[in-house]
Amino acid sequence: MNAPTFRIGLLAAAVLLAAGGAQAQSSVVLYGLVDLAVDHYKAGSASGAGNVWKMNDGVVNGLNGSRWGVRVSEDLGGGLKANAVLESGLSADTGALGQGGLAFGRQVFVGLSQASLGELRVGRQYILSDSVMGLTNPYGNGSVANQGTASTNAGRNLPFWLNAPRANNVVQLATPNLGGFTGTLQVAPGEGSADRFHGVKLGFGSGPFNIAASYEWNKSRTTGEDTNKSFTFGANYNFGPVKLLGGIQMNQDLALGAGNGAFTGNNLLVTYSGPAFTAYEINGYSIGVQVPVDRFTFGANYSGVKYENAAGANATLGKAALMGWYTLSKSTFLYSGVSFSTGDLKDYIAENRVFQAGIRMAW
């Protein structure tokens, strides 16, 4: 072998070794999920809506919203890692982008983590109450059993339990796992166009038992007052043949126009058989059960809320749900469920009765 050829060979070997080392230190994962369901909505007699069949992406009462994303991790040495996630939502029934057409509307963040120190993340992220609510639902904030799904009250979107579920410009600090205990803090500056958002979460998980609580609030950019105060508590215990789940949510000083945080909706007007009023508080509870039987998983829960205004006017809305899924593989499920509304508002919402059947596949 002559000298130039030898040098080229050494260079090629060095490049291959460097590439191999980089691959050992870094990982890039492309992932995706498609969830579609056929739903039938039977409207309440006083809702002003009609009965309708729809095909919906899983983001509407399905097991999961359809998405694709990239997850990146780089080992920086000494146990320190750099992490990033870019996740785009889509409506599989139409092919449109989800979350209002955002390129990466589900989440997009970058951060640093170390097992003994915790993790720092910055970017668009899930707010803390979303994971707490996931402890209370037999299907983890999915299906017709999800109390985070809003109701259409006399043509206007009315929150049931608050579940944004994401916020922009979030700085998040999370502790390491300390014997099962974890803590997380979030702050998002309003940047002049939205209220400043804050959140804190404490949790504990050990074996079959999980429990967590979060408190979130806005600092109004116009008045400087604290608004949209939201406390969420959830817990579950897996006995083996059955899992019990439950939780509460208390929301006070609700205000429109926050632009970021636990409540970003544009309606709090409650319409029912009595005089309509604007809700100032929404307080709710949920209790459920999950039962695995071979490849089937069955679940049932009941969730309810009371809407109140500052003068004491109030009205109730509840939802009972039955649900089941069948596991075709580790990533593909068939599912179906029904829900039935109760309370003062049951005849005034478009989703008085809901039937659903769908399929979900992930990779």
Side-chain angles (χ1 to χ4, degrees), residues 44-48 152-156 158 267-279 305-309 311-317 342-349:
S45 58
S47 67
T152 308
N153 174 223
R156 292 178 294 270
L158 183 67
N267 175 60
L268 289 167
L269 183 65
V270 179
T271 301
Y272 70 120
S273 57
F277 65 89
T278 298
V305 298
K306 177 185 282 188
Y307 303 93
E308 298 184 63
N309 73 358
N314 64 81
T316 60
L317 178 62
T342 65
D344 300 326
L345 272 65
K346 67 173 184 173
D347 293 326
Y348 291 81
I349 64 169

Side-chain angles (χ1 to χ4, degrees), residues 10-26:
L10 285 177
L11 179 60
V15 170
L16 288 172
L17 286 172
Q23 289 172 357
Q25 296 173 15
S26 304

